[in-house]
Amino acid sequence: MLRKLVLFFMFIYTSYGLSTFEIAQKVKKSSNGYESSKSVLEMILIDQSKKESKREMISISLEHKGENSQEGDKSLMEFKTPLDVKGTKFLTHEKINENNNQWLYLPALKRIKRITSESKSGSFMGSEFSYEDISSREPLKYNYSEEYEEVEFNGIKCYKYERYSKDKNSGYSKQILWVDSLRFIVLKIEFYDRKKELLKTATYNNYKKIGNTYRVGDIFMQNHQNYKSTKLNYLKDEIHLNLDESLFTKRYLKD
């Protein structure tokens, strides 16, 4: 009788339980529907002695709606302050199942630099975020652990599971995610380096919901190896703006 009950509950889990890939798909869906967005962000760089330096930037994004295309979302960041980085722009064309295209415009040199796959694990503008971290919404870019744990994080019930980048040049051997099991939003990610040691932890806070779309309020990235950290605060965030696609081109980087 006991064996039959165990088999019954195993059947219920396999029939109705989510796979880790399905959880990842739901996470992406929870942030979909913004169409286009414009955000004012404050980036705070915090060194080992807790000294802070601040930067302000504007980020715009365009959501891709095609279901059968390899094209993903497009985004453009432009630094406004301080003077030493003012005018620097970062353009990303995300791909569904292959490496993203990324370019960095350096105003002092009046030059556009393409970010190669080999350099995407490098620091983004001196922060604890890498180029790889800036855009990673697409579930097909990863392989996933077969199982997940049901845990709590800050009193919130979560799915905890692992993902592994398909990109051979990824700076990470694995990432461990904590996903809110009701809202399907990411609350925490641990990043492990190529030596399989804990490198960084990102926490995602102060989400707000606009319609059916969840938008994060701030992200805190802690580097456990160099003891530096970076915080991204969304000071202003708007969606459904009807942005023109011409804004997300290499030609626009120099304008």
Side-chain angles (χ1 to χ4, degrees):
M1 181 65 181
L2 179 61
R3 183 172 181 273
K4 288 182 178 180
L5 283 172
V6 171
L7 291 173
F8 172 76
F9 285 115
M10 286 180 65
F11 171 79
I12 292 295
Y13 173 78
T14 55
S15 297
Y16 299 102
L18 292 170
S19 70
T20 49
F21 179 66
E22 288 171 330
I23 294 171
Q25 287 179 308
K26 285 182 174 290
V27 168
K28 183 174 186 296
K29 186 177 179 180
S30 74
S31 64
N32 281 351
Y34 69 88
E35 296 178 350
S36 60
S37 68
K38 181 178 180 180
S39 306
V40 178
L41 297 100
E42 178 185 53
M43 174 185 279
I44 305 174
L45 308 181
I46 308 168
D47 67 15
Q48 299 96 323
S49 61
K50 305 302 180 183
K51 183 180 178 180
E52 297 183 357
S53 57
K54 296 182 179 180
R55 298 171 174 180
E56 188 171 300
M57 57 190 181
I58 292 177
S59 175
I60 58 174
S61 299
L62 187 68
E63 184 177 26
H64 182 72
K65 298 180 180 179
E67 295 183 0
N68 299 317
S69 171
Q70 280 297 311
E71 299 298 319
D73 297 352
K74 297 178 180 180
S75 63
L76 175 66
M77 295 182 181
E78 180 177 357
F79 285 82
K80 296 296 186 180
T81 62
L83 280 176
D84 61 339
V85 295
K86 183 177 180 179
T88 302
K89 297 177 184 177
F90 179 60
L91 175 65
T92 297
H93 289 181
E94 194 159 352
K95 303 294 182 179
I96 301 297
N97 195 21
E98 56 188 72
N99 291 335
N100 298 333
N101 292 326
Q102 295 179 313
W103 301 270
L104 186 68
Y105 174 67
L106 303 169
L109 302 175
K110 297 183 179 179
R111 185 169 70 89
I112 297 174
K113 175 185 177 183
R114 184 182 177 90
I115 307 300
T116 64
S117 296
E118 292 77 11
S119 59
K120 287 182 180 178
S121 61
S123 168
F124 173 63
M125 298 295 291
S127 74
E128 298 314 305
F129 291 87
S130 69
Y131 292 100
E132 184 177 355
D133 299 333
I134 299 300
S135 56
S136 57
R137 278 174 24 100
E138 296 299 337
L140 288 172
K141 290 183 181 292
Y142 302 92
N143 294 315
Y144 298 86
S145 55
E146 292 185 4
E147 298 178 349
Y148 60 81
E149 296 180 58
E150 294 189 50
V151 299
E152 284 197 4
F153 176 69
N154 290 339
I156 299 173
K157 292 182 179 180
C158 295
Y159 296 122
K160 179 184 175 183
Y161 61 93
E162 297 181 5
R163 69 182 182 189
Y164 319 93
S165 176
K166 294 179 181 179
D167 182 1
K168 65 179 182 179
N169 294 309
S170 172
Y172 309 120
S173 58
K174 70 176 180 180
Q175 300 173 29
I176 302 179
L177 290 82
W178 282 253
V179 171
D180 185 321
S181 60
L182 291 179
R183 296 176 292 174
F184 289 96
I185 53 177
V186 175
L187 300 179
K188 177 181 174 182
I189 303 179
E190 288 182 348
F191 301 86
Y192 288 76
D193 64 17
R194 291 169 181 167
K195 296 179 181 179
K196 299 183 179 181
E197 297 177 350
L198 179 61
L199 174 61
K200 301 185 298 190
T201 299
T203 51
Y204 301 76
N205 309 292
N206 298 315
Y207 280 92
K208 62 179 179 180
K209 191 175 184 181
I210 306 175
N212 294 317
T213 304
Y214 281 99
R215 306 284 289 178
V216 71
D218 63 82
I219 307 170
F220 184 73
M221 182 72 83
Q222 175 70 57
N223 190 312
H224 302 286
Q225 296 185 10
N226 66 15
Y227 306 106
K228 297 180 181 180
S229 57
T230 301
K231 188 174 184 181
L232 276 179
N233 294 320
Y234 286 75
L235 305 179
K236 188 176 181 180
D237 190 28
E238 302 172 278
I239 64 175
H240 307 307
L241 299 178
N242 297 317
L243 297 179
D244 194 288
E245 194 160 0
S246 64
L247 297 173
F248 303 89
T249 61
K250 286 198 295 180
R251 180 179 180 181
Y252 184 76
L253 286 177
K254 290 187 175 182
D255 289 344

